[in-house]
Amino acid sequence: MPSTAKRARVRGTPKGRSVDPKAREEVRALLKDAPRRRDLLIEYLHRIQDHYGHLSAAHLVALADEMKLSMTEVYEVATFYHHFDVIKEGGAAPPAITVRVCDSIACEIAGASELLAKLPGLLGKDVRVLHAPCIGRCETAPAAVVGQNPLPHASVEKISALVKARAVKHPAPGSRESHPHPDIVNPVCVDYAAYRAQGGYALAQSCVDGARKREDVIAVMENSGLRGLGGAGFPAGRKWKSVAAEPAPRLLAVNIDEGEPGTFKDRWYLERDPHRFIEGSLVAAWAVGIDEIYIYLRDEYHGCRAILEKEIAALRKNPPCKLPPVHLRRGAGAYICGEESAMIESIEGKRGMPRLRPPYVAQVGLFNRPTLEHNMETLHWVREILEKGADWFASHGRNGRKGLRSFSVSGRVKKPGVHLAPAGITVKELIAEYCGGMLDGHKFYGYLPGGASGGILPASMGDIPLDFDTLNQYGCFIGSAAVVILSDKDRASAAARNLTKFFSEESCGQCTPCRVGTAKTLTLIGKMKWDQPLLKELSQAMMDASICGLGQAAPNPVLSVMKYFPQEIG
């Protein structure tokens, strides 16, 4: 019998595949002298996709060889994310131009279905038309993306004109823009010089220079009552304290995946004042004793990425104080990566699949280190709270609530957008005082208080304070404060179908209750009369047994319709 030493082999090339010399040289030319680390796999897949417009089998084999990974490791990551076009051996490359039409809830009620029906016939076979999950531009619904260029208030005419312009600019098949036009409408971005001129980074400098004490800063954050603004609502100061108590080295992961339908506040702040959250990140890193900062930005925000690359470079060139390493990582189209542990898996260059807990990311997170995970907007408030004091932030609020909330409002109102309002404001007050009222000819019918996951409530329940914990008793929650307004021309049952379709397509597939439950729910609610006993049983199984919040919250829209809109479902 051969010895163990003889049986073991170390392969220099991926099993069963020979590396094409031309593909190897092309991959090496794109990677240049960048380190061949596993956690950079998704970044390198983006480089190939941006340059060639797709991921060919030859390039995947060459990339696996270059990074000393198995072909399986590379292929399973490349095929997990929506924005990677993996072409099998002998397969045809996609058309040079792809048009993605958002068909999430705000865009659907604004006419996305009509666009998706008309565009393929008008644009022809040389243009690919795809439906897309929420692209974070709900206030300009219906929205579309041509290549990497977003188009607000999209119409057949606007899309056709932009496609024609790109075809003229890029006549060669497969050509792509490596640096697309910024995805900003009327940008008013405060750059590094302007931010410093306004007193920016003085707080971070005072912390690093020893003018403030860590325990005092954490105490102010605790006393302010600031809670995580990505959806979970965990108290920020308490999170800082718990991570600081873990053994070093520690890391900070900033979550800007923002894929919840109806949510766009992070993009809005990034386009206008990116340094405010960066300074908040530096202060948090100093207070918690963090070695490195990782910023995870959703791939749909190409213009925001260009802004961050430019502004982080300016910060490094003329730093106000000693900086920790700051890494900007790019998502690849996966809603599940908004879940903190799935995001961490993605930063590590893997499929974005949630981890089983415990341990929690505060204990064993990114690269198995204690990790402070924060939504971008949470860090956006750090400077103002520390400069003005905990009482200043806590002094805002209505109906017994404290603080401020950035509401992403979309749907049937005259002034959709990001509205900064007191925590605890009701949706009726939000519509009247901040959104200019309902659209002409529309009557308030219902609303989503917390995006796709937060449930649906009727207009008759429009006096509930909008804040953490106030909606729980009604089977809803505020989440990231994405408020979608429905009118008498909409149906809550149709909204539930739209949202359930989203969850079914975005489930990572790791756990059976979510993978099978969302698909089965979508089938059941597609019927004229809903089988309510079966839907309730199925929903309970999903809520009890799903690994992460996607499967646990996916039943909320359906349960809401059965409870509050029974007249719609037979």
Side-chain angles (χ1 to χ4, degrees):
M1 183 176 179
S3 67
T4 303
K6 288 182 179 180
R7 290 201 311 270
R9 292 184 178 181
V10 178
R11 294 186 178 274
T13 58
K15 182 180 178 181
R17 300 271 183 157
S18 58
V19 182
D20 179 80
K22 182 173 183 290
R24 176 191 281 121
E25 291 308 311
E26 290 171 341
V27 167
R28 286 179 176 175
L30 290 173
L31 269 54
K32 299 179 181 177
D33 58 353
R36 270 55 169 172
R37 297 198 318 264
R38 168 59 196 264
D39 63 290
L40 294 170
L41 174 58
I42 294 173
E43 300 297 309
Y44 297 159
L45 289 169
H46 274 304
R47 289 193 189 186
I48 298 171
Q49 169 105 2
D50 285 346
H51 189 82
Y52 292 101
H54 61 276
L55 300 173
S56 69
H59 283 139
L60 291 180
V61 172
L63 181 62
D65 178 69
E66 191 68 18
M67 298 187 71
K68 300 296 185 275
L69 297 172
S70 70
M71 184 60 197
T72 300
E73 289 176 285
V74 174
Y75 185 80
E76 71 175 6
V77 172
T79 53
F80 180 84
Y81 296 92
H82 298 320
H83 292 180
F84 290 139
D85 286 316
V86 178
I87 307 303
K88 294 182 179 179
E89 213 161 349
I97 298 176
T98 296
V99 176
R100 287 183 167 87
V101 178
C102 176
D103 64 351
S104 286
I105 182 63
C107 287
E108 183 182 71
I109 66 177
S113 298
E114 184 180 353
L115 290 177
L116 284 165
K118 290 182 177 180
L119 285 172
L122 292 173
L123 299 181
K125 63 181 181 180
D126 294 330
V127 178
R128 181 174 56 165
V129 179
L130 302 175
H131 84 88
C134 187
I135 60 174
R137 312 196 74 84
C138 316
E139 84 279 27
T140 62
V145 181
V146 179
Q148 292 182 340
N149 299 275
L151 191 62
H153 302 297
S155 64
V156 170
E157 293 75 21
K158 286 183 178 180
I159 292 173
S160 299
L162 187 53
V163 164
K164 184 178 180 181
R166 284 176 56 81
V168 170
K169 186 177 180 182
H170 301 289
S175 52
R176 291 295 192 282
E177 288 182 320
S178 58
H179 296 286
H181 300 300
D183 61 345
I184 298 173
V185 181
N186 299 323
V188 186
C189 181
V190 178
D191 65 10
Y192 182 61
Y195 186 75
R196 289 293 300 272
Q198 297 170 7
Y201 291 107
L203 172 64
Q205 186 174 12
S206 70
C207 291
V208 174
D209 290 347
R212 294 173 182 260
K213 295 181 179 179
R214 286 183 169 88
E215 55 269 26
D216 292 342
V217 166
I218 293 177
V220 172
M221 294 301 297
E222 283 191 290
N223 294 335
S224 72
L226 178 69
R227 297 173 64 170
L229 298 172
F234 193 86
R238 195 194 309 171
K239 184 182 282 192
W240 289 21
K241 183 180 288 186
S242 66
V243 176
E246 296 293 328
R250 310 174 194 92
L251 300 174
L252 168 61
V254 185
N255 191 337
I256 322 181
D257 195 54
E258 194 172 51
E260 182 78 7
T263 310
F264 48 91
K265 61 185 177 61
D266 289 355
R267 171 185 59 79
W268 193 91
Y269 283 122
L270 277 174
E271 290 172 351
R272 291 157 176 81
D273 197 2
H275 286 281
R276 194 164 293 268
F277 102 85
I278 297 174
E279 183 169 14
S281 301
L282 296 179
V283 172
W286 165 82
V288 180
I290 279 165
D291 287 24
E292 298 183 54
I293 298 172
Y294 286 80
I295 301 171
Y296 188 85
L297 180 69
R298 71 180 308 201
D299 190 38
E300 289 84 352
Y301 291 170
H302 300 289
C304 291
R305 188 172 69 254
I307 289 174
L308 284 177
E309 288 172 346
K310 175 176 177 289
E311 297 307 319
I312 291 172
L315 173 65
R316 288 174 178 151
K317 186 176 181 181
N318 181 27
C321 55
K322 184 179 179 181
L323 303 175
V326 178
H327 309 278
L328 179 59
R329 292 297 176 84
R330 177 179 174 185
Y335 166 72
I336 191 62
C337 289
E339 197 276 339
E340 61 178 8
S341 65
M343 176 192 69
I344 283 172
E345 289 286 298
S346 189
I347 293 174
E348 292 181 356
K350 305 171 187 174
R351 293 179 297 168
M353 301 186 102
R355 298 176 178 177
L356 291 170
R357 289 169 287 189
Y360 296 94
V361 299
Q363 303 161 315
V364 182
L366 186 57
F367 306 121
N368 294 320
R369 297 179 181 181
T371 302
L372 176 65
E373 189 272 346
H374 264 317
N375 165 258
M376 189 225 79
E377 195 208 342
T378 311
L379 295 165
H380 172 92
W381 286 107
V382 168
R383 175 187 166 186
E384 206 154 6
I385 288 172
L386 291 175
E387 287 181 344
K388 296 180 179 179
D391 292 341
W392 166 80
F393 187 77
S395 67
H396 296 85
R398 291 185 188 177
N399 301 307
R401 313 304 296 178
K402 294 182 178 181
L404 293 165
R405 296 287 175 268
S406 301
F407 292 95
S408 303
V409 185
S410 59
R412 308 292 196 176
V413 292
K414 289 181 178 178
K415 295 180 181 178
V418 174
H419 299 292
L420 184 62
I425 193 172
T426 69
V427 71
K428 288 181 179 178
E429 292 169 337
L430 189 64
I431 293 171
E433 298 176 30
Y434 291 84
C435 302
M438 297 291 293
L439 286 172
D440 293 338
H442 290 258
K443 182 180 178 182
F444 182 35
Y445 177 71
Y447 65 108
L448 284 65
S453 307
I456 309 173
L457 292 172
S460 60
M461 298 175 67
D463 293 316
I464 302 169
L466 295 174
D467 198 19
F468 298 112
D469 310 321
T470 59
L471 297 154
N472 298 18
Q473 62 182 304
Y474 307 104
C476 299
F477 57 82
I478 191 172
S480 59
V483 180
V484 184
I485 306 299
L486 305 178
S487 79
D488 54 347
K489 301 187 187 309
D490 305 308
R491 285 293 171 264
S493 56
R497 280 190 287 272
N498 178 281
L499 302 173
T500 303
K501 174 175 173 286
F502 171 83
F503 288 129
S504 179
E505 293 176 346
E506 293 299 321
S507 172
C508 74
Q510 180 176 192
C511 67
T512 302
C514 177
R515 181 186 67 250
V516 176
T518 52
K520 180 64 175 176
T521 300
L522 186 59
T523 299
L524 289 171
I525 65 175
K527 299 177 180 179
M528 290 292 293
K529 185 174 182 178
W530 292 9
D531 186 339
Q532 297 191 53
L534 181 56
L535 281 168
K536 289 176 182 177
E537 183 181 357
L538 180 59
S539 296
Q540 194 62 53
M542 292 171 64
M543 292 187 290
D544 289 343
S546 294
I547 289 174
C548 81
L550 192 158
Q552 295 162 12
N556 286 342
V558 171
L559 292 173
S560 296
V561 170
M562 289 191 290
K563 187 173 183 179
Y564 301 116
F565 301 89
Q567 72 279 7
E568 294 190 19
I569 56 175

